[in-house]
Coordinates of all heavy atoms in Angstrom, one line a residue:
M1 N 45.5 46.4 -10.4 CA 46.8 45.8 -9.9 C 47.0 46.3 -8.4 O 47.4 45.6 -7.6 CB 48.0 46.3 -10.8 CG 49.3 45.6 -10.5 SD 49.2 43.8 -10.8 CE 50.7 43.3 -10.1
G2 N 46.6 47.6 -8.2 CA 46.8 48.2 -6.9 C 45.9 47.5 -5.9 O 46.3 47.3 -4.7
M3 N 44.8 47.0 -6.3 CA 43.8 46.3 -5.4 C 44.4 45.0 -5.0 O 44.3 44.6 -3.8 CB 42.5 46.1 -6.2 CG 41.3 45.7 -5.4 SD 40.8 47.0 -4.3 CE 39.4 46.2 -3.5
L4 N 45.0 44.3 -5.9 CA 45.6 42.9 -5.6 C 46.7 43.1 -4.6 O 46.8 42.3 -3.7 CB 46.1 42.3 -6.9 CG 46.6 40.9 -6.8 CD1 45.4 39.9 -6.5 CD2 47.3 40.4 -8.1
L5 N 47.5 44.1 -4.8 CA 48.7 44.4 -4.0 C 48.2 44.6 -2.5 O 48.8 44.1 -1.6 CB 49.5 45.6 -4.5 CG 51.0 45.6 -4.2 CD1 51.7 44.5 -4.9 CD2 51.6 46.9 -4.5
R6 N 47.1 45.4 -2.4 CA 46.5 45.7 -1.1 C 46.0 44.5 -0.4 O 46.1 44.3 0.8 CB 45.4 46.8 -1.3 CG 45.4 47.8 -0.1 CD 44.4 48.8 -0.4 NE 44.8 49.7 -1.5 CZ 44.0 50.8 -1.9 NH1 42.8 51.0 -1.4 NH2 44.4 51.5 -2.9
L7 N 45.4 43.6 -1.2 CA 44.9 42.3 -0.7 C 46.0 41.4 -0.1 O 45.9 40.9 0.9 CB 44.1 41.6 -1.8 CG 43.2 40.5 -1.4 CD1 42.0 41.1 -0.7 CD2 42.8 39.6 -2.6
I8 N 47.1 41.4 -0.9 CA 48.3 40.6 -0.4 C 48.8 41.2 0.9 O 49.1 40.4 1.8 CB 49.3 40.5 -1.6 CG1 48.8 39.7 -2.7 CG2 50.6 39.9 -1.0 CD1 49.7 39.8 -4.0
L9 N 48.9 42.5 0.9 CA 49.4 43.2 2.1 C 48.5 42.9 3.3 O 49.0 42.6 4.4 CB 49.5 44.7 1.8 CG 50.4 45.5 2.7 CD1 51.9 45.1 2.5 CD2 50.2 47.0 2.6
L10 N 47.2 42.9 3.0 CA 46.3 42.6 4.1 C 46.4 41.2 4.6 O 46.4 41.0 5.9 CB 44.8 42.8 3.6 CG 43.7 42.9 4.6 CD1 43.8 44.3 5.3 CD2 42.4 42.7 4.0
C11 N 46.6 40.3 3.7 CA 46.8 38.9 4.1 C 48.1 38.7 5.0 O 48.1 38.0 6.0 CB 46.9 38.0 2.9 SG 45.3 37.6 2.1
A12 N 49.1 39.4 4.5 CA 50.4 39.4 5.3 C 50.3 39.9 6.7 O 50.7 39.4 7.6 CB 51.5 40.2 4.5
V13 N 49.6 41.1 6.8 CA 49.4 41.7 8.1 C 48.5 40.8 9.0 O 48.8 40.6 10.2 CB 48.7 43.1 7.9 CG1 48.2 43.6 9.3 CG2 49.7 44.1 7.3
A14 N 47.5 40.2 8.4 CA 46.6 39.3 9.1 C 47.4 38.1 9.6 O 47.2 37.7 10.8 CB 45.5 38.8 8.2
W15 N 48.3 37.6 8.8 CA 49.1 36.4 9.2 C 50.1 36.8 10.4 O 50.2 36.0 11.3 CB 49.9 35.9 8.0 CG 50.7 34.7 8.3 CD1 50.2 33.4 8.3 CD2 52.1 34.6 8.6 NE1 51.2 32.5 8.6 CE2 52.4 33.2 8.8 CE3 53.1 35.5 8.7 CZ2 53.7 32.8 9.1 CZ3 54.4 35.1 9.0 CH2 54.7 33.8 9.2
I16 N 50.7 38.0 10.3 CA 51.6 38.4 11.3 C 50.8 38.6 12.6 O 51.3 38.2 13.7 CB 52.3 39.7 10.9 CG1 53.3 39.4 9.7 CG2 53.0 40.4 12.0 CD1 53.8 40.7 9.0
V17 N 49.7 39.2 12.5 CA 48.8 39.4 13.8 C 48.5 38.1 14.4 O 48.5 37.9 15.6 CB 47.6 40.3 13.4 CG1 46.6 40.3 14.6 CG2 48.0 41.7 13.1
F18 N 48.1 37.1 13.5 CA 47.7 35.8 13.9 C 48.9 35.1 14.7 O 48.7 34.5 15.7 CB 47.3 35.0 12.7 CG 47.0 33.5 13.1 CD1 45.9 33.2 13.8 CD2 47.9 32.5 12.7 CE1 45.6 31.8 14.1 CE2 47.7 31.2 13.0 CZ 46.5 30.9 13.7
R19 N 50.1 35.2 14.1 CA 51.3 34.6 14.7 C 51.6 35.3 16.1 O 52.0 34.6 17.0 CB 52.5 34.7 13.8 CG 52.4 33.8 12.6 CD 52.3 32.3 13.0 NE 53.5 31.9 13.7 CZ 54.6 31.4 13.2 NH1 54.7 31.2 11.9 NH2 55.6 31.0 14.0
L20 N 51.5 36.6 16.1 CA 51.7 37.4 17.3 C 50.8 36.9 18.4 O 51.1 36.7 19.6 CB 51.7 38.9 17.1 CG 52.9 39.5 16.4 CD1 52.6 40.9 16.0 CD2 54.2 39.3 17.2
L21 N 49.5 36.8 18.0 CA 48.5 36.4 19.0 C 48.8 35.0 19.5 O 48.7 34.7 20.7 CB 47.1 36.4 18.3 CG 46.4 37.8 18.3 CD1 45.1 37.7 17.5 CD2 46.0 38.2 19.8
Q22 N 49.2 34.1 18.6 CA 49.5 32.7 18.9 C 50.6 32.7 19.9 O 50.6 31.9 20.9 CB 49.9 32.0 17.6 CG 49.6 30.5 17.7 CD 49.9 29.8 16.3 OE1 50.9 30.2 15.6 NE2 49.1 28.8 16.0
R23 N 51.6 33.5 19.7 CA 52.8 33.6 20.6 C 52.4 34.1 21.9 O 52.8 33.7 23.0 CB 53.9 34.4 20.0 CG 55.2 34.2 20.6 CD 56.3 35.0 19.9 NE 56.6 34.5 18.6 CZ 57.5 35.1 17.8 NH1 58.3 36.0 18.2 NH2 57.7 34.6 16.6
A24 N 51.5 35.2 21.9 CA 51.1 35.8 23.1 C 50.3 34.9 24.0 O 50.3 34.9 25.2 CB 50.3 37.1 22.8
L25 N 49.5 34.0 23.4 CA 48.7 33.0 24.1 C 49.5 31.8 24.5 O 49.0 30.9 25.2 CB 47.5 32.5 23.2 CG 46.5 33.6 22.9 CD1 45.5 33.1 21.9 CD2 45.7 33.9 24.2
G26 N 50.8 31.8 24.1 CA 51.7 30.7 24.6 C 51.5 29.4 23.9 O 51.8 28.3 24.4
L27 N 50.9 29.4 22.7 CA 50.7 28.2 21.9 C 52.0 27.9 21.2 O 52.6 28.8 20.6 CB 49.5 28.4 20.9 CG 48.1 28.6 21.5 CD1 47.2 28.9 20.4 CD2 47.7 27.3 22.2
P28 N 52.3 26.6 21.1 CA 53.6 26.2 20.4 C 53.4 26.4 18.9 O 52.3 26.0 18.4 CB 53.8 24.8 20.8 CG 52.4 24.3 21.2 CD 51.7 25.5 21.7
A29 N 54.4 26.9 18.2 CA 54.3 27.0 16.8 C 54.3 25.6 16.2 O 54.8 24.6 16.8 CB 55.6 27.7 16.3
P30 N 53.7 25.4 15.0 CA 53.6 24.1 14.4 C 55.0 23.5 14.2 O 55.9 24.2 13.7 CB 52.8 24.3 13.1 CG 52.8 25.7 12.9 CD 53.0 26.4 14.3
G31 N 55.2 22.2 14.5 CA 56.5 21.6 14.3 C 57.4 21.7 15.5 O 58.4 21.1 15.6
Q32 N 56.9 22.4 16.6 CA 57.7 22.6 17.8 C 56.9 22.1 19.0 O 57.0 22.6 20.1 CB 58.1 24.0 18.0 CG 59.1 24.5 16.9 CD 59.5 26.0 17.1 OE1 58.9 26.7 18.0 NE2 60.4 26.4 16.3
G33 N 56.1 21.1 18.8 CA 55.3 20.5 19.8 C 56.0 20.0 21.0 O 55.7 20.4 22.2
T34 N 57.1 19.3 20.8 CA 57.8 18.7 21.9 C 59.2 19.3 21.9 O 60.0 19.1 20.9 CB 57.9 17.2 21.8 OG1 58.3 16.8 20.5 CG2 56.5 16.5 22.1
A35 N 59.6 20.0 22.9 CA 60.9 20.5 23.0 C 61.9 19.4 23.4 O 61.5 18.5 24.2 CB 61.0 21.6 24.1
P36 N 63.1 19.4 22.9 CA 64.1 18.4 23.3 C 64.3 18.4 24.8 O 64.6 19.5 25.4 CB 65.3 18.7 22.5 CG 65.2 20.1 22.1 CD 63.7 20.4 22.0
S37 N 64.3 17.3 25.4 CA 64.5 17.2 26.9 C 65.9 17.5 27.2 O 66.8 17.2 26.5 CB 64.1 15.8 27.4 OG 64.9 14.9 26.8
E38 N 66.1 18.2 28.3 CA 67.4 18.6 28.8 C 68.2 17.4 29.3 O 67.6 16.5 29.8 CB 67.4 19.6 29.9 CG 66.9 21.0 29.4 CD 66.7 22.0 30.6 OE1 67.4 21.8 31.6 OE2 65.9 22.9 30.4
P39 N 69.5 17.3 29.0 CA 70.3 16.2 29.5 C 70.2 16.1 31.0 O 70.3 17.1 31.7 CB 71.7 16.5 29.0 CG 71.7 17.9 28.7 CD 70.3 18.3 28.3
A40 N 70.0 14.9 31.5 CA 69.9 14.7 32.9 C 71.3 15.0 33.6 O 72.3 14.8 33.0 CB 69.6 13.3 33.2
P41 N 71.2 15.6 34.8 CA 72.5 15.9 35.5 C 73.2 14.7 35.9 O 72.6 13.7 36.2 CB 72.1 16.7 36.7 CG 70.6 16.4 36.9 CD 70.1 16.1 35.5
A42 N 74.5 14.7 35.8 CA 75.3 13.5 36.1 C 75.1 13.1 37.6 O 75.1 13.9 38.5 CB 76.8 13.8 35.9
T43 N 75.0 11.8 37.8 CA 74.8 11.3 39.1 C 76.2 11.3 39.8 O 77.2 10.8 39.2 CB 74.3 9.8 39.1 OG1 73.1 9.9 38.2 CG2 74.0 9.3 40.4
M44 N 76.3 11.9 41.0 CA 77.5 11.9 41.7 C 77.7 10.7 42.6 O 76.7 10.3 43.3 CB 77.6 13.2 42.6 CG 77.5 14.5 41.8 SD 78.8 14.7 40.5 CE 80.1 15.3 41.6
R45 N 78.9 10.1 42.5 CA 79.1 8.9 43.3 C 80.3 9.2 44.3 O 81.2 9.9 43.9 CB 79.6 7.8 42.4 CG 78.5 7.3 41.5 CD 77.3 6.7 42.2 NE 76.3 6.2 41.3 CZ 75.1 5.6 41.7 NH1 74.9 5.5 43.0 NH2 74.3 5.2 40.8
R46 N 80.1 8.8 45.5 CA 81.1 9.0 46.5 C 82.1 7.9 46.5 O 81.8 6.8 46.5 CB 80.4 9.1 47.9 CG 81.3 9.7 49.0 CD 80.5 9.9 50.3 NE 80.1 8.6 50.8 CZ 80.8 7.9 51.7 NH1 82.0 8.4 52.1 NH2 80.4 6.8 52.2
C47 N 83.4 8.3 46.5 CA 84.5 7.4 46.6 C 84.4 6.7 47.9 O 84.4 7.3 49.0 CB 85.8 8.1 46.4 SG 87.2 7.0 46.5
A48 N 84.4 5.3 47.9 CA 84.4 4.6 49.1 C 85.7 4.7 49.9 O 85.7 4.3 51.1 CB 84.0 3.1 48.8
W49 N 86.7 5.2 49.3 CA 88.0 5.2 49.9 C 88.3 6.6 50.5 O 88.7 6.8 51.7 CB 89.1 4.9 48.9 CG 90.5 4.8 49.6 CD1 91.5 5.6 49.4 CD2 90.9 3.7 50.5 NE1 92.6 5.2 50.1 CE2 92.3 4.0 50.8 CE3 90.4 2.6 51.0 CZ2 93.0 3.3 51.7 CZ3 91.1 1.8 51.8 CH2 92.4 2.1 52.2
C50 N 88.1 7.7 49.7 CA 88.4 9.0 50.2 C 87.2 10.0 50.3 O 87.4 11.1 50.7 CB 89.5 9.7 49.3 SG 88.8 10.1 47.6
S51 N 86.0 9.5 50.0 CA 84.8 10.2 50.2 C 84.6 11.4 49.2 O 83.8 12.2 49.4 CB 84.6 10.7 51.6 OG 84.6 9.6 52.5
V52 N 85.5 11.5 48.2 CA 85.4 12.5 47.2 C 84.2 12.2 46.2 O 84.1 11.0 45.9 CB 86.7 12.7 46.4 CG1 86.5 13.3 45.1 CG2 87.7 13.5 47.2
H53 N 83.4 13.2 45.9 CA 82.3 12.9 45.0 C 82.8 13.1 43.5 O 83.3 14.1 43.2 CB 81.1 13.9 45.3 CG 80.4 13.4 46.5 ND1 80.8 13.7 47.8 CD2 79.2 12.7 46.6 CE1 79.9 13.2 48.6 NE2 79.0 12.6 48.0
T54 N 82.5 12.1 42.7 CA 82.9 12.1 41.3 C 81.7 11.7 40.5 O 80.8 10.9 40.9 CB 84.0 11.0 41.1 OG1 84.9 11.1 42.2 CG2 84.7 11.1 39.8
P55 N 81.5 12.3 39.3 CA 80.4 11.9 38.4 C 80.5 10.5 38.1 O 81.6 9.9 37.9 CB 80.7 12.8 37.1 CG 81.5 13.9 37.6 CD 82.3 13.4 38.7
E56 N 79.3 9.8 38.0 CA 79.3 8.4 37.8 C 80.1 8.0 36.5 O 80.7 6.9 36.5 CB 77.8 7.9 37.7 CG 77.7 6.4 37.7 CD 76.2 6.0 37.8 OE1 75.4 6.8 38.0 OE2 76.0 4.8 37.7
S57 N 80.0 8.8 35.5 CA 80.7 8.5 34.2 C 82.2 8.4 34.4 O 82.9 7.8 33.6 CB 80.3 9.4 33.1 OG 80.6 10.8 33.5
E58 N 82.7 9.2 35.4 CA 84.2 9.2 35.6 C 84.6 8.3 36.7 O 85.8 8.2 37.0 CB 84.6 10.7 35.9 CG 84.4 11.6 34.7 CD 84.7 13.1 35.1 OE1 85.5 13.3 36.0 OE2 84.0 13.9 34.5
S59 N 83.7 7.7 37.4 CA 84.0 6.9 38.6 C 84.3 5.5 38.2 O 83.9 5.0 37.1 CB 83.0 7.0 39.7 OG 81.8 6.4 39.2
T60 N 85.0 4.8 39.1 CA 85.2 3.4 38.9 C 84.4 2.6 39.8 O 84.3 3.0 41.0 CB 86.7 3.1 39.2 OG1 87.5 3.9 38.3 CG2 87.1 1.7 38.9
Q61 N 83.7 1.6 39.3 CA 82.8 0.8 40.2 C 83.4 -0.6 40.4 O 83.9 -1.2 39.4 CB 81.4 0.7 39.5 CG 80.4 0.1 40.5 CD 79.0 0.0 39.8 OE1 78.9 0.3 38.7 NE2 78.1 -0.6 40.5
S62 N 83.3 -1.1 41.6 CA 83.7 -2.5 41.9 C 83.0 -3.0 43.1 O 83.0 -2.3 44.1 CB 85.2 -2.5 42.1 OG 85.6 -3.8 42.3
R63 N 82.4 -4.1 43.0 CA 81.7 -4.8 44.1 C 80.7 -3.9 44.8 O 80.6 -3.8 46.0 CB 82.7 -5.3 45.1 CG 83.7 -6.4 44.5 CD 84.6 -6.9 45.6 NE 85.7 -7.6 44.9 CZ 86.8 -8.1 45.6 NH1 86.8 -8.0 46.9 NH2 87.7 -8.8 45.0
G64 N 80.0 -3.1 44.0 CA 78.9 -2.3 44.6 C 79.4 -1.0 45.2 O 78.6 -0.2 45.7
H65 N 80.7 -0.7 45.1 CA 81.3 0.5 45.6 C 81.7 1.4 44.4 O 82.1 0.8 43.4 CB 82.4 0.2 46.5 CG 82.0 -0.5 47.8 ND1 81.3 0.1 48.8 CD2 82.1 -1.8 48.2 CE1 81.1 -0.7 49.8 NE2 81.6 -1.9 49.4
F66 N 81.8 2.7 44.6 CA 82.3 3.6 43.6 C 83.5 4.2 44.1 O 83.7 4.5 45.3 CB 81.2 4.7 43.3 CG 80.1 4.1 42.5 CD1 79.0 3.6 43.2 CD2 80.1 4.1 41.2 CE1 77.9 3.1 42.5 CE2 79.0 3.6 40.4 CZ 77.9 3.1 41.1
F67 N 84.5 4.5 43.2 CA 85.8 5.1 43.5 C 86.1 6.2 42.6 O 85.7 6.2 41.4 CB 86.8 4.0 43.5 CG 86.5 2.8 44.4 CD1 85.9 1.7 43.8 CD2 86.8 2.8 45.7 CE1 85.5 0.6 44.6 CE2 86.5 1.8 46.5 CZ 85.8 0.7 46.0
C68 N 86.9 7.2 43.1 CA 87.3 8.3 42.2 C 88.3 7.9 41.2 O 88.5 8.6 40.2 CB 87.7 9.5 43.1 SG 89.2 9.2 44.0
C69 N 89.1 6.9 41.5 CA 90.1 6.5 40.6 C 90.4 5.0 40.9 O 90.0 4.4 41.9 CB 91.4 7.3 40.8 SG 92.0 7.3 42.5
E70 N 91.2 4.4 40.0 CA 91.5 3.0 40.1 C 92.4 2.7 41.3 O 92.4 1.6 41.9 CB 92.1 2.5 38.8 CG 91.0 2.4 37.7 CD 91.6 2.0 36.4 OE1 92.8 1.7 36.3 OE2 90.9 2.1 35.4
A71 N 93.3 3.7 41.6 CA 94.2 3.5 42.7 C 93.4 3.4 44.0 O 93.8 2.5 44.8 CB 95.1 4.7 42.8
H72 N 92.4 4.2 44.2 CA 91.6 4.1 45.4 C 90.8 2.8 45.4 O 90.5 2.2 46.5 CB 90.7 5.3 45.6 CG 91.5 6.5 46.0 ND1 90.9 7.7 46.2 CD2 92.8 6.6 46.3 CE1 91.8 8.6 46.6 NE2 92.9 7.9 46.7
R73 N 90.4 2.3 44.3 CA 89.6 1.1 44.2 C 90.5 -0.1 44.6 O 90.2 -0.9 45.4 CB 89.1 0.8 42.8 CG 88.4 -0.5 42.6 CD 88.3 -0.9 41.1 NE 89.7 -1.2 40.7 CZ 90.0 -1.3 39.4 NH1 89.1 -1.2 38.5 NH2 91.3 -1.5 39.0
D74 N 91.8 -0.1 44.1 CA 92.7 -1.1 44.5 C 93.0 -1.0 46.0 O 93.1 -2.1 46.6 CB 94.0 -0.9 43.7 CG 93.8 -1.2 42.2 OD1 92.7 -1.8 41.9 OD2 94.6 -0.8 41.4
A75 N 93.2 0.2 46.5 CA 93.5 0.3 47.9 C 92.4 -0.2 48.8 O 92.6 -0.8 49.8 CB 93.8 1.8 48.2
F76 N 91.1 0.1 48.3 CA 90.0 -0.3 49.1 C 89.9 -1.9 49.1 O 89.6 -2.5 50.1 CB 88.7 0.3 48.5 CG 87.4 -0.1 49.2 CD1 87.0 0.6 50.3 CD2 86.7 -1.2 48.7 CE1 85.8 0.3 51.0 CE2 85.5 -1.5 49.4 CZ 85.1 -0.8 50.5
L77 N 90.1 -2.5 47.9 CA 90.0 -3.9 47.8 C 91.1 -4.6 48.5 O 90.9 -5.8 49.0 CB 90.0 -4.3 46.3 CG 88.8 -3.8 45.5 CD1 88.9 -4.2 44.0 CD2 87.5 -4.3 46.1
R78 N 92.3 -3.9 48.6 CA 93.4 -4.6 49.3 C 93.3 -4.4 50.8 O 93.9 -5.1 51.6 CB 94.7 -3.9 48.8 CG 95.3 -4.8 47.7 CD 96.7 -4.3 47.4 NE 96.7 -3.3 46.3 CZ 97.2 -2.0 46.4 NH1 97.7 -1.6 47.6 NH2 97.1 -1.2 45.4
A79 N 92.5 -3.4 51.3 CA 92.4 -3.1 52.7 C 91.7 -4.3 53.4 O 90.8 -4.9 52.8 CB 91.6 -1.8 52.9
P80 N 92.1 -4.5 54.6 CA 91.5 -5.7 55.3 C 90.1 -5.4 55.7 O 89.7 -4.2 56.0 CB 92.4 -5.8 56.6 CG 93.0 -4.4 56.7 CD 93.2 -3.9 55.3
K81 N 89.2 -6.3 55.5 CA 87.8 -6.2 55.8 C 87.6 -6.1 57.3 O 88.2 -6.7 58.1 CB 87.0 -7.4 55.3 CG 87.1 -7.5 53.8 CD 85.7 -7.1 53.2 CE 85.8 -6.8 51.7 NZ 86.1 -8.0 50.9
K82 N 86.6 -5.2 57.7 CA 86.3 -5.0 59.1 C 85.3 -6.0 59.6 O 84.4 -6.3 58.9 CB 85.8 -3.6 59.3 CG 86.8 -2.5 59.2 CD 86.2 -1.1 59.1 CE 87.3 -0.1 58.7 NZ 86.7 1.2 58.3
Ligands
ZN1 ZN1 89.1 8.4 46.1

């Protein structure tokens, strides 16, 4: 019985050493081959009216221009064209 216990302990130690070596060599653990990609940083858009930079998701777009808010969009669209 003591012999079997020693064998199991040896296997456990060998497995731990193997895992440590694997980590030391920088190999990815099985099942973790591809890390989830980080979310892309928000694209900043410049308000065509006041030049304030706003994330694209929070900005208002109209006629190819970006605006920080709808009020500036309306002001820009109402302003006389140069
Ligand atoms: Zn603005």
Side-chain angles (χ1 to χ4, degrees):
M1 193 62 191
M3 194 70 180
L4 185 69
L5 208 70
R6 215 173 291 179
L7 196 71
I8 291 167
L9 198 71
L10 193 74
C11 282
V13 170
W15 184 79
I16 289 165
V17 169
F18 174 73
R19 288 300 302 268
L20 285 173
L21 276 172
Q22 207 173 35
R23 197 177 295 182
L25 291 170
L27 293 172
Q32 295 179 352
T34 51
S37 58
E38 290 176 25
T43 309
M44 299 301 279
R45 296 293 183 184
R46 192 173 67 88
C47 177
W49 186 252
C50 69
S51 299
V52 158
H53 284 80
T54 315
E56 190 173 351
S57 58
E58 294 173 30
S59 64
T60 305
Q61 190 185 359
S62 184
R63 298 183 194 175
H65 295 285
F66 287 89
F67 305 94
C68 65
C69 57
E70 289 175 8
H72 283 180
R73 180 200 62 194
D74 293 344
F76 181 85
L77 295 177
R78 264 189 269 121
K81 293 256 165 63
K82 285 167 191 171

